[in-house]
């Protein structure tokens, strides 16, 4: 009976070993297939997806993180204070934001001075090794939850500074977009496009003036001393008026009202966002009492903000933003595959894409040469700053 029992245990152990090996093999195959699948997609698109996924996790953790975080003994240890649900939510957002910052900041540091496509870092770090990078990103998101609260508080202060830098960069990117919009429509040389340009300019200015009037009514109510709010609204409005007038003066080379209208709208929006974020009990924020009216509005606002920040980050890495060659594109996916297939002699695009996804591919002859079409390091640096900005925005 003992012999039979021993044989049965050996058979069970062998079966468990076989099942485990099969699962590991299937997992490795899936990871390999995932790496090959993403190799044919633009790198910038993939990084944007990762960034959006991280911020999506932050949104969920902000509202539902407390039960999980209360089980971690080194989180929530605040002398003389009982952490609230809001505190746990903010801490979770900071930790996820820190993970994203670590991931993109690390890539930015590793890709410093990467100027040519023949640089091994171009293929193996920026465009390749996706399975490894996805695992590294997941690890970066987990690690901050192992850190004490003091470290997260220090990062929160650092994120405030990084958010200010990102707002400046975002303004430059927005101005670049406005000039591109203006030049594209003017170059059409058709009265319809000119009318559209004029209509867009009028609509932007009209919207800005309307929002300013509502801000004076909402956040500076009569009978209440709200000098700070009035000062914020006025200091946002006056420079916009002055610079809009200056853009039509001959002294302003390539001056145009559309870029001024876009920047004016953005400045007014930032002012409104700052006033709307004032404490709900503040007497100069009577609209704070309506902050909880409708979850759908909050979700829509978050989605629009994520889309805006992702666009700004991607636009900052584009070739034409830095004065590069517009025809270069991203240099990702199919362009790499086509070049590799052509240079290797007769390989298909799919085969070339598969070859590009391997980490240990040898032979520089199968990889495109020449300068990179945009700054990889600055591209990831913008995503790192964007992670800080959204942490401030969501808390």
């Amino acid at each position: 009976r003992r012999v039979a029992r021993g044989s049965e245990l050996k058979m069970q152990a062998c079966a468990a070993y076989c099942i485990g090996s099969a699962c590991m093999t299937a997992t490795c195959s899936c990871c390999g297939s995932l790496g090959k699948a993403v190799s044919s997609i633009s790198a910038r698109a993939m990084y944007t997806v990762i960034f959006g996924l991280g911020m999506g996790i932050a949104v969920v953790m902000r509202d539902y993180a407390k039960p999980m975080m209360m089980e971690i003994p080194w989180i929530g240890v605040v002398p003389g204070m009982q952490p609230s649900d809001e505190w746990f939510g903010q801490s979770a957002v900071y930790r996820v934001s820190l993970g994203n910052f670590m991931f993109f900041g690390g890539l930015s540091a590793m890709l410093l001075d990467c100027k040519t496509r023949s640089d091994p870092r171009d293929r193996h770090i920026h465009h390749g090794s996706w399975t490894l990078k996805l695992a590294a990103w997941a690890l970066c998101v987990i690690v901050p939850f192992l850190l004490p609260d003091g470290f997260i508080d220090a990062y929160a202060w650092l994120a405030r500074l990084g958010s200010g830098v990102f707002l400046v960069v975002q303004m430059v990117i927005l101005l670049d977009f406005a000039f591109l919009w203006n030049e594209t429509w003017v170059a059409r040389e058709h009265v319809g496009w000119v009318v559209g340009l004029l209509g867009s300019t009028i609509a932007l200015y009209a919207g800005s003036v309307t929002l300013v009037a509502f801000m004076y009514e909402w956040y500076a109510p009569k009978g209440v001393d709200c000098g700070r709010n009035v000062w914020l609204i006025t200091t946002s409005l006056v420079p916009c008026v002055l610079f809009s007038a200056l853009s039509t003066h001959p002294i302003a080379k390539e001056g145009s009202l559309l870029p001024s209208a876009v920047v004016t709208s953005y400045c007014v929006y930032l002012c409104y966002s700052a006033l709307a974020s004032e404490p709900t009990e503040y007497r100069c924020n009577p609209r704070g009492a309506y902050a909880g009216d409708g979850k759908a509005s909050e979700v829509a606002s978050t989605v629009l903000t994520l889309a805006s920040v992702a666009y700004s980050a991607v636009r900052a890495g584009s070739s034409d933003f830095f004065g590069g060659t517009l025809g270069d594109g991203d240099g990702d996916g199919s362009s790499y595959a086509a070049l590799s297939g052509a240079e290797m002699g007769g390989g298909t695009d799919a085969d070339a894409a598969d070859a590009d996804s391997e980490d240990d591919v040898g032979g520089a002859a199968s990889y495109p040469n020449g300068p990179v079409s945009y700054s990889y390091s600055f591209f990831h640096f913008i995503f790192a700053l964007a992670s800080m900005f959204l942490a401030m925005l969501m808390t």
Side-chain angles (χ1 to χ4, degrees), residues 205 235-249 260 264:
Y205 274 124
T235 53
S236 298
L237 176 62
V238 172
C240 291
V241 174
L242 293 178
F243 283 108
S244 294
L246 184 62
S247 65
T248 61
H249 195 276
S260 300
T264 296

Side-chain angles (χ1 to χ4, degrees), residues 26 213 223 293:
D293 289 354

Side-chain angles (χ1 to χ4, degrees), residues 139-191:
L139 182 62
C140 287
V141 173
I142 294 173
V143 165
F145 287 89
L146 305 179
L147 301 176
D149 296 330
F151 193 93
I152 302 303
D153 291 339
Y155 169 74
W157 282 103
L158 179 63
R160 289 179 173 87
L161 299 177
S163 299
V165 176
F166 180 78
L167 281 176
V168 174
V169 174
Q170 191 178 45
M171 179 65 74
V172 175
I173 296 169
L174 184 65
L175 191 60
D176 170 74
F177 163 76
F179 273 106
L180 181 64
W181 178 10
N182 184 76
E183 291 174 0
T184 302
W185 283 24
V186 169
R188 303 283 183 175
E189 296 183 351
H190 189 277
V191 65

Side-chain angles (χ1 to χ4, degrees), residues 122-310:
D122 182 290
R123 181 169 194 173
H124 298 298
I125 297 180
H126 185 68
H127 290 107
S129 307
W130 282 106
T131 302
L132 181 60
K133 283 189 291 190
L134 290 172
W137 171 75
L139 182 62
C140 287
V141 173
I142 294 173
V143 165
F145 287 89
L146 305 179
L147 301 176
D149 296 330
F151 193 93
I152 302 303
D153 291 339
Y155 169 74
W157 282 103
L158 179 63
R160 289 179 173 87
L161 299 177
S163 299
V165 176
F166 180 78
L167 281 176
V168 174
V169 174
Q170 191 178 45
M171 179 65 74
V172 175
I173 296 169
L174 184 65
L175 191 60
D176 170 74
F177 163 76
F179 273 106
L180 181 64
W181 178 10
N182 184 76
E183 291 174 0
T184 302
W185 283 24
V186 169
R188 303 283 183 175
E189 296 183 351
H190 189 277
V191 65
W193 292 103
V194 175
V195 172
L197 203 62
L198 180 61
S200 300
T201 302
I202 294 175
L204 288 170
Y205 274 124
S208 300
V209 172
T210 302
L211 185 56
V212 167
F214 277 118
M215 284 193 293
Y216 275 119
E217 181 180 352
W218 292 339
Y219 301 107
K222 295 180 180 180
V224 181
D225 183 14
C226 299
R228 184 181 66 178
N229 285 0
V230 173
W231 180 82
L232 285 173
I233 300 170
T234 305
T235 53
S236 298
L237 176 62
V238 172
C240 291
V241 174
L242 293 178
F243 283 108
S244 294
L246 184 62
S247 65
T248 61
H249 195 276
I251 195 175
K253 296 182 179 180
E254 300 182 1
S256 177
L257 280 177
L258 179 63
S260 300
V262 171
V263 173
T264 296
S265 299
Y266 183 69
C267 290
V268 171
Y269 161 74
L270 288 180
C271 180
Y272 168 76
S273 179
L275 294 175
S277 64
E278 290 177 332
T280 55
E281 64 272 10
Y282 184 44
R283 60 179 182 174
C284 293
N285 183 21
R287 290 182 58 81
Y290 304 98
D293 289 354
K295 195 73 174 178
S297 177
E298 179 183 351
V299 172
S301 177
T302 302
V303 170
L304 289 175
T305 301
L306 287 171
S308 173
V309 172

Side-chain angles (χ1 to χ4, degrees), residues 302-322:
T302 302
V303 170
L304 289 175
T305 301
L306 287 171
S308 173
V309 172
Y311 169 79
S312 299
V314 171
R315 181 62 179 156
S318 65
S319 57
D320 50 327
F321 183 78
F322 290 99

